[in-house]
Amino acid sequence: MPIVKYPRAREPLYYEWDRRAQKCGLRHTVYAVNGDQYTGEWLDNLKHGKGTQIWKSTGAIYSGDWKFGKQDGYGSYSVPDPVTKEYKRVYTGWWKNGQKTGQGVWFYPNGERYEGEWSDGVRGGWGRMYYLDGSSYEGQWEEDQPDGEGMLRLPNGNRYEGGWKDGKKHGPGRYFYVDKGQLLEGTWAEDIAKCGILVDFDRHKAPAPTQYPIPKIELKDPAGVLAAAQALLDDSDN
């Protein structure tokens, strides 16, 4: 009886080619169609694990943790200097879902620096900002602006401690005029002191005190005065 041999069934070659093209685990540099390049770990064709991405259009580099194709974890972001072409670190810290989230440090091109918490890519939480003019702000942030309780220090030593809203002094606060040896304690609204009590404070240590000291005025109920002023301010906001 003759024996008939049938050819072994084989899957199409493109199945094998597709399996080989799947990116999973540690891979050498992979180039995108637009010229971007990535070197690092993959999972199911997505950047996942440790890796370094270089964007061709800007030359920016991110090196750190990835999760399902997005920056997630700890990493640093750097850009080339337009003149020297040397890389300068812009941000070092934590990321989540491709956005700066958690503790991190951002270096601004003009030399300013922010150290603190981030939320969805902007300053949010507690942080400290160092400005170009030598002043600094330390306190709460919301949607990239000082908001809540915070302290602003000026280059001449003067400082404000109190409430903030949308980047402006707002609510109860104290302004120390260290250069004049005076203290203003009161209530602010949109960066303007609406009411308060001005007294001498370490006048003998001040570098440029006013010519005459402020006479002491005793109020029967200073706390009540401030509370009434705050109530008026709240009414005006509403």
Side-chain angles (χ1 to χ4, degrees), residues 165 170-171 188-190 230-238:
K165 185 178 180 181
H170 193 89
W188 274 255
E190 296 185 349
Q230 181 63 48
L232 291 174
L233 180 61
D234 295 337
D235 292 339
S236 63
D237 289 340
N238 296 331

Side-chain angles (χ1 to χ4, degrees), residues 19-50:
R19 279 196 296 270
R20 292 181 179 180
Q22 295 295 315
K23 295 182 283 294
C24 190
L26 183 62
R27 294 287 296 266
H28 294 297
T29 303
V30 176
Y31 294 88
V33 177
N34 62 0
D36 296 347
Q37 51 183 290
Y38 173 81
T39 305
E41 297 176 295
W42 298 78
L43 179 65
D44 296 333
N45 274 339
L46 295 174
K47 306 177 187 75
H48 191 91
K50 300 288 185 181

Side-chain angles (χ1 to χ4, degrees), residues 162-193:
W164 295 79
K165 185 178 180 181
D166 298 331
K168 297 179 180 180
K169 294 183 280 294
H170 193 89
R174 298 187 298 173
Y175 201 110
F176 294 84
Y177 295 91
V178 179
D179 58 338
K180 298 182 180 300
Q182 294 178 333
L183 165 64
L184 173 61
E185 185 170 3
T187 302
W188 274 255
E190 296 185 349
D191 253 357
I192 300 175

Side-chain angles (χ1 to χ4, degrees), residues 43-177:
L43 179 65
D44 296 333
N45 274 339
L46 295 174
K47 306 177 187 75
H48 191 91
K50 300 288 185 181
T52 300
Q53 167 92 11
I54 303 177
W55 287 269
K56 183 179 180 181
S57 60
T58 61
I61 294 180
Y62 170 81
S63 181
D65 297 324
W66 296 79
K67 188 175 182 180
F68 301 120
K70 295 183 179 180
Q71 299 103 313
D72 200 298
Y74 189 83
S76 62
Y77 181 80
S78 304
V79 296
D81 185 272
V83 179
T84 65
K85 305 303 180 182
E86 295 182 357
Y87 276 92
K88 292 185 176 180
R89 186 167 297 179
V90 175
Y91 176 77
T92 300
W94 293 90
W95 303 70
K96 186 175 182 180
N97 199 31
Q99 297 283 356
K100 298 183 291 292
T101 303
Q103 290 286 339
V105 181
W106 181 275
F107 301 91
Y108 293 84
N110 62 357
E112 296 180 343
R113 183 174 81 257
Y114 173 79
E115 302 174 355
E117 295 178 306
W118 297 78
S119 178
D120 295 330
V122 298
R123 293 169 291 186
W126 181 93
R128 183 185 294 114
M129 182 74 190
Y130 297 94
Y131 297 98
L132 187 62
D133 62 359
S135 60
S136 64
Y137 170 82
E138 180 177 357
Q140 295 174 305
W141 295 75
E142 185 175 342
E143 296 184 356
D144 219 33
Q145 295 287 348
D147 199 296
E149 293 293 321
M151 177 175 63
L152 174 68
R153 290 182 179 271
L154 301 178
N156 62 358
N158 293 350
R159 70 182 187 274
Y160 168 81
E161 302 174 359
W164 295 79
K165 185 178 180 181
D166 298 331
K168 297 179 180 180
K169 294 183 280 294
H170 193 89
R174 298 187 298 173
Y175 201 110
F176 294 84
Y177 295 91

